[in-house]
Every structure is written in C-alpha cells, then in structure tokens.
Amino acid sequence: MRTQDKGLAALTYAPCTIATQVLGIPVQIQVDSNYPFSETVHIVVSTECPIRFPLLLRVPTWAEGAHIILEDDRKEPMQPGTYYRVEQEWHRPTLICLHLPMQIHAQTRYHASVSVERGPLVYALKIEEEWKQIRGEPPHADWEVHPKVPWNYALKMERADPEHSCRVIFHSPGAVPFSPEGASVHLRVKGRRIPSWTLEHNAAGPLPVSPVSSAQPIEDLTLIPYGCTNLRVTEFPVLDE
C-alpha cells in the first residue's frame, strides 16, 4: 500500500511481485517467502533509476524477537505491533531479510480446554477424511465428509510452556498449501482418546471440562493449520497427568 509521505508499506508477506510507481519512477518489489508457515521473508526492491522513499514493514504483534537484516549485513531489532521504517535511496536490486519468530502459544478456551497457536496461525487436528457423494453429478454434486479415524483426543500439554509439548515438522508446500495434503508445517503433540466424548447430531458432542483422565494409550498426534482442514477439532481437553 501507499503511505501518506509518498512511500510504500508491506502489510503481509505472501510470495508476490509488485510493479508500481513512486513519484513517477517504476518500482518493483519481490517478496520470496513461505509465509505464514515459515519465519523468514526475503524482499528485493529495485527501481528504474535512483529514488529516495520510505518502505514501511509491518511487524506482527506476535513476532517477539523479530529482526531485520539490511543490505550492509546490519541486523536491527523490530518492535512487534509497529511498522519498521527503511528510508533510503533505492536503485539497484536491494535485499532485505526479515526474521519473524513464530513461537507456540497455548490459549485457554471453553471448559478450560486449550487451543494451540504458532505465529499467525491456529492449529487443528489432522483428520483422515472420507468423502461421500450424496446427490447430483460433478462438478455440481453435493458431498458429505466424515472422519475415518478417531478425533476425540485430549492433549498432554504444558500450558505455561507449550513449546516443550510440541515438535515442529516442516514439509515442502503442496500444490494447494491450505489443504490437508499441502500443509507445509505440522505440530507433533501427544494425547489420549476420550471415549466418553462422542458425536452428537453429526458433530462433536459437548466439550469435556478439563482436566480430564483417560486410560487409553498415549498417541502421537498431528496438528496442521486450521485453514488447511475440512474437518477440524481446534479446542482440546487437557489431560490431568
């Protein structure tokens, strides 16, 4: 976006290339990243001829410890919840590198349950799906989607230190990054099934009040970004162990 003082502002960091003009001079900005899944963003600014203008970079409120590396290898801290201002003369391609740490946070939710966040994303249980065509013909058919595997888990989670309870696993992004198969970051957590937590009216029944007990075996569970799921459990009971 444009700023009031004839500069440019980067509001988000999805991969893109922007061609615009500042004071009548052609400017190109290329953003290379795997945001919002990864912490590193590379931005290359180039102009047709020398021109001075400010470039404002939004620093998300969750990005504690964020920093920027400028072209002269100068590393400077960035304050979360603000815009970092880079004002200089631009011409030849100039590389800026942002590091936006994505810490894991546990939020207490309904019935003392827990939801898990990493950076800008909320995470949900990865559930194997079964799709059933119920009427019509593709591409205008109606479908139902059902879980093929158990979904009723309570997490073994340290609320005060969720980083200790989660392991981050990275994958190459799929053709559709926001899909169960295309998710490029997983959180591996541990949990136990809660047999008394069942389906009601084809949806998860009332959420048990945490903490909960279970005699079921401990299992490794995978969480993926909420936007990658079609079926989702996002608020989990917490085990009393």
Side-chain angles (χ1 to χ4, degrees):
M1 298 187 72
R2 297 192 185 280
T3 66
Q4 291 182 332
D5 53 356
K6 302 185 183 339
L8 298 174
L11 303 188
T12 189
Y13 300 108
C16 62
T17 300
I18 297 159
T20 186
Q21 290 190 355
V22 176
L23 299 175
I25 304 299
V27 175
Q28 178 172 289
I29 299 178
Q30 181 175 334
V31 180
D32 181 15
S33 76
N34 192 26
Y35 188 92
F37 305 110
S38 65
E39 301 175 327
T40 302
V41 178
H42 293 99
I43 300 174
V44 177
V45 182
S46 54
T47 66
E48 196 168 277
C49 57
I51 180 175
R52 185 178 186 87
F53 64 87
L55 176 63
L56 275 62
L57 304 168
R58 186 179 70 88
V59 188
T61 55
W62 46 260
E64 294 292 337
H67 64 262
I68 184 171
I69 300 176
L70 300 167
E71 191 180 32
D72 57 3
D73 290 332
R74 181 163 38 98
K75 178 178 175 181
E76 295 189 359
M78 305 171 76
Q79 180 64 37
T82 67
Y83 284 84
Y84 185 91
R85 185 182 182 93
V86 182
E87 185 165 2
Q88 64 180 56
E89 183 179 90
W90 311 89
H91 186 200
R92 59 185 177 80
T94 302
L95 173 65
I96 296 171
C97 180
L98 307 183
H99 183 67
L100 306 173
M102 296 182 178
Q103 299 177 357
I104 297 173
H105 295 280
Q107 299 285 351
T108 298
R109 307 292 293 176
Y110 181 65
H111 277 184
S113 63
V114 69
S115 64
V116 182
E117 302 173 2
R118 177 180 175 269
L121 299 179
V122 177
Y123 282 73
L125 184 67
K126 185 177 183 180
I127 302 174
E128 188 177 351
E129 304 165 354
E130 180 181 17
W131 289 79
K132 295 181 179 180
Q133 184 176 335
I134 58 174
R135 65 177 66 88
E137 294 296 333
H140 306 294
D142 291 332
W143 298 79
E144 292 180 344
V145 58
H146 299 266
K148 291 180 66 175
V149 295
W151 54 269
N152 49 345
Y153 287 97
L155 300 188
K156 184 178 180 181
M157 175 71 62
E158 296 183 25
R159 296 178 192 264
D161 185 17
E163 298 264 359
H164 183 72
S165 303
C166 303
R167 183 162 58 96
V168 183
I169 300 174
F170 296 100
H171 301 270
S172 297
V176 182
F178 279 99
S179 68
E181 300 78 20
S184 62
V185 59
H186 295 176
L187 299 184
R188 192 63 55 83
V189 298
K190 293 187 180 296
R192 299 180 191 270
R193 284 189 64 194
I194 306 299
S196 60
W197 188 21
T198 60
L199 289 175
E200 292 188 12
H201 308 293
N202 292 319
L207 188 67
V209 178
S210 294
V212 297
S213 299
S214 174
Q216 299 297 307
I218 197 80
E219 297 183 43
D220 287 322
L221 306 174
T222 298
L223 309 184
I224 59 176
Y226 180 96
C228 297
T229 59
N230 298 304
L231 295 170
R232 56 185 67 102
V233 176
T234 313
E235 297 182 351
F236 297 89
V238 179
L239 293 169
D240 61 3
E241 55 190 73

